[in-house]
Amino acid sequence: MCLTKSPFLSVLLGLFIWLEPGQGSLLLHMNSMIQVVEMLDEHLTVTELARGLGCCDSEFDRFLLGKAPAAPPDLPFLSQEQRSFLRHLMKHQVQASLVEQGVLLLPDGTTVAVGPLMAGIEAGLQGRREIPLPPEALEPSLVRTEPSNQTHPELPLTIDALYAVTIAKDLGVAFLLAQPNESQVRMGPNGCWDSVYEPQNFTLLGPPSRLTDAFINGALDGVILGAHLAKQAEPRAPLGTLLREYYAGDGLAGDGQARSNFRRKNFVELTEAGKLEEQVVRSLLLLRALPQTAPLFSGVGNEELLAVASQAVQEFTDAYLECPAIIPRCMWEAKPYKGTPTQLKLPLSFVYIHHTSSPSEPCQTFPECAAAMRAMQQFHQEDRGWDDIGYSFVVGSDGYMYQGRGWHWVGAHTRGFNSKGYGVSFIGDYMTTLPEAFALTLVRDNFLSCAVRGAKIRANYTVHGHRQMVHTSCPGNMLFKEIQTWEGFK
């Protein structure tokens, strides 16, 4: 679903008019890119054009994907304005003002960097998975021998190009460069668009890392789409069709779960245990063997390189694969807090489970969930006279959690106990039905363990239903029966 007020008009104008970011009419929304890509699909390989415009052209990328083709000097079906649009998207960078460039707003309310996304698609289209490492990159003490090499020692060790050009290289480098300065940000943060209806500028919420949330989203999507393309037989569907199915449709091959709002779960399902760390090690080995990047490894011993890969993958897994994706307040257009919030004293000991009751129907898309969040905040602030939406976090049926008062501020969710725990509410009425299975998983398996690792709640936390603390039917009979099976329920 497009978030523009007039999707067709906005995209149509955007194809013919381009001004600098923040001043133009071409919206930085995935639907705009899909429209351009669909125009190009009939004429050339879009990923080749993307690389010609500056995507994935490092020495590392050229080794794994081949030499980047030159961008066609003139394409009668692509205006200079459209080429400027694509060129802008292919160069991911963060300005001193914390405006992140090379990113697009998605229909699901998240933001994706185009560079790693296109790199993964290119690797998938080429079927470039296992590429032999050059002899100078091999370090026997660092490379785990594969079973095939034990049987056939003459077979070369390989690197999976799909993981390397999307996430493995950047993950390893980010943590390698941060080693001398432990206070340096390694991953994140998320950011805010100036408008969810007319997105033109995306500003980060804190100091930037090499791996912003948008970059990681792009990398995960690049792996998922690249893997999908690599196993498809020729002829493949046009790239525009692929992007539309994944970002704005029913999912790849009609599978509703194979779409961007389930990227974390789908990446985990694709990635075997230990594979990512292995690919980070091999990416660092390749970088160390390439002339342009070899100086990065001056004074870095083998044990340190292994430690960097291990730490990088562990922290990445904790933060982006095992924790739930949370939509920040700015994206659902929260109104400001009234008055001065009271800070929680962490870690907390309790989590209180709620259902909203009203709205009674689960929200299935970002626009629906964002509207429900705004409606709840308005009711809580104007009708009940509270300072803000009462819940700490809210769970949609779109694959995401939504930030209410968040991790640090006392809520208004469980009278008499607001300072003792977080209030987590499922959108919908769950007297006779249960939330979607994936929504339950987000809280039971992801949110609770994530909160423990982040020292937000104690390891021996207690889960209560709202009705245990206050005279109410909340969180509904079926949901209350469900949470009684959860670890920590008392």
Side-chain angles (χ1 to χ4, degrees):
M1 180 178 295
C2 183
L3 302 182
T4 58
K5 294 177 180 176
S6 179
F8 177 77
L9 179 60
S10 297
V11 171
L12 185 62
L13 288 174
L15 292 175
F16 296 97
I17 303 173
W18 170 263
L19 297 175
E20 288 304 309
Q23 302 174 10
S25 61
L26 182 57
L27 305 181
L28 292 179
H29 193 284
M30 179 56 73
N31 285 354
S32 300
M33 179 172 172
I34 290 172
Q35 291 280 348
V36 176
V37 169
E38 287 177 335
M39 291 179 61
L40 294 171
D41 273 336
E42 299 179 4
H43 303 281
L44 80 165
T45 302
V46 177
T47 52
E48 289 183 356
L49 176 61
R51 295 190 68 204
L53 293 174
C55 172
C56 327
D57 194 30
S58 69
E59 187 179 24
F60 182 92
D61 294 325
R62 290 194 299 273
F63 178 87
L64 295 173
L65 298 177
K67 183 179 178 181
D74 181 38
L75 297 172
F77 44 84
L78 188 68
S79 70
Q80 182 60 42
E81 291 77 14
Q82 293 159 7
R83 291 184 61 180
S84 296
F85 170 62
L86 290 176
R87 185 179 294 110
H88 168 75
L89 291 178
M90 298 310 149
K91 292 292 188 180
H92 179 260
Q93 61 181 343
V94 178
Q95 298 179 330
S97 61
L98 299 186
V99 171
E100 186 173 8
Q101 294 187 337
V103 299
L104 291 171
L105 174 62
L106 302 182
D108 67 5
T110 60
T111 299
V112 63
V114 175
L117 167 66
M118 297 302 289
I121 291 174
E122 176 72 357
L125 285 170
Q126 293 188 24
R128 297 179 73 85
R129 297 302 302 268
E130 300 300 332
I131 308 297
L133 284 169
E136 58 271 25
L138 301 181
E139 175 60 61
S141 64
L142 296 183
V143 182
R144 187 172 61 202
T145 301
E146 300 173 12
S148 59
N149 294 82
Q150 294 173 356
T151 307
H152 303 285
E154 71 279 4
L155 294 178
L157 291 171
T158 60
I159 181 172
D160 189 329
L162 177 59
Y163 283 89
V165 300
T166 51
I167 186 64
K169 179 224 4 177
D170 288 278
L171 189 56
V173 170
F175 278 76
L176 178 69
L177 296 179
Q179 288 302 300
N181 183 3
E182 289 299 320
S183 63
Q184 183 174 332
V185 178
R186 290 170 171 78
M187 297 181 293
N190 206 338
C192 299
W193 285 95
D194 48 357
S195 169
V196 296
Y197 302 105
E198 298 179 349
Q200 295 183 355
N201 289 288
F202 185 70
T203 304
L204 296 176
L205 292 169
S209 72
R210 184 184 182 93
L211 295 167
T212 63
D213 281 19
F215 186 95
I216 289 174
N217 286 342
L220 299 184
D221 287 349
V223 170
I224 293 166
L225 292 175
H228 175 76
L229 289 167
K231 68 182 181 181
Q232 277 192 316
E234 299 284 357
R236 299 183 179 96
L239 180 58
T241 300
L242 176 76
L243 295 177
R244 187 173 294 281
E245 288 178 350
Y246 185 69
Y247 288 113
D250 295 329
L252 303 178
D255 183 356
Q257 301 270 336
R259 59 185 193 229
S260 62
N261 48 339
F262 295 98
R263 62 169 63 88
R264 298 188 182 196
K265 177 182 75 71
N266 292 334
F267 180 87
V268 170
E269 291 177 355
L270 277 173
T271 309
E272 298 175 4
K275 179 179 177 64
L276 183 56
E277 184 174 340
E278 179 181 89
Q279 293 306 314
V280 171
V281 171
R282 296 186 183 194
S283 294
L284 293 174
L285 287 173
L286 178 56
L287 287 168
R288 189 166 69 174
L290 297 174
Q292 291 182 1
T293 49
L296 291 175
F297 297 85
S298 177
V300 178
N302 291 345
E303 290 187 4
E304 185 177 357
L305 190 148
L306 285 171
V308 164
S310 177
Q311 180 187 7
V313 172
Q314 184 61 59
E315 292 190 18
F316 168 74
T317 299
D318 288 347
Y320 290 96
L321 302 183
E322 296 184 356
C323 283
I326 298 175
I327 303 293
R329 290 171 61 91
C330 58
M331 288 305 300
W332 59 266
E333 298 181 291
K335 292 181 179 179
Y337 189 96
K338 293 182 178 180
T340 303
T342 301
Q343 191 160 6
L344 289 164
K345 296 179 181 180
L346 304 179
L348 304 178
S349 297
F350 298 90
V351 175
Y352 305 108
I353 303 298
H354 301 248
H355 72 167
T356 62
S357 183
S358 178
S360 61
E361 293 298 321
C363 58
Q364 303 288 340
T365 66
F366 166 69
E368 291 175 358
C369 293
M373 293 295 292
R374 292 191 297 271
M376 282 187 281
Q377 185 187 43
Q378 181 178 14
F379 175 70
H380 289 173
Q381 286 184 322
E382 297 183 9
D383 292 55
R384 293 193 169 177
W386 298 348
D387 293 334
D388 197 0
I389 188 171
Y391 305 118
S392 306
F393 297 95
V394 178
V395 189
S397 291
D398 61 339
Y400 293 109
M401 293 185 72
Y402 286 73
Q403 180 187 358
R405 298 207 190 183
W407 294 113
H408 299 289
W409 308 114
V410 174
H413 46 78
T414 311
R415 181 177 297 176
F417 301 92
N418 291 317
S419 63
K420 299 181 182 296
Y422 293 113
V424 178
S425 187
F426 291 80
I427 294 179
D429 185 324
Y430 298 106
M431 289 296 292
T432 59
T433 61
L434 277 174
E436 295 278 3
F438 60 77
L440 293 170
T441 298
L442 275 180
V443 180
R444 182 191 62 227
D445 299 342
N446 300 122
F447 174 81
L448 292 172
S449 59
C450 181
V452 170
R453 286 195 305 274
K456 303 300 193 300
I457 60 176
R458 302 182 189 279
N460 61 342
Y461 63 84
T462 297
V463 173
H464 284 315
H466 187 197
R467 64 175 61 183
Q468 293 174 267
M469 321 309 296
V470 179
H471 182 65
T472 176
S473 63
C474 181
N477 293 339
M478 289 295 289
L479 182 53
F480 183 63
K481 182 178 180 180
E482 161 67 23
I483 66 172
Q484 291 178 62
T485 68
W486 291 9
E487 181 178 351
F489 177 85
K490 292 181 182 178

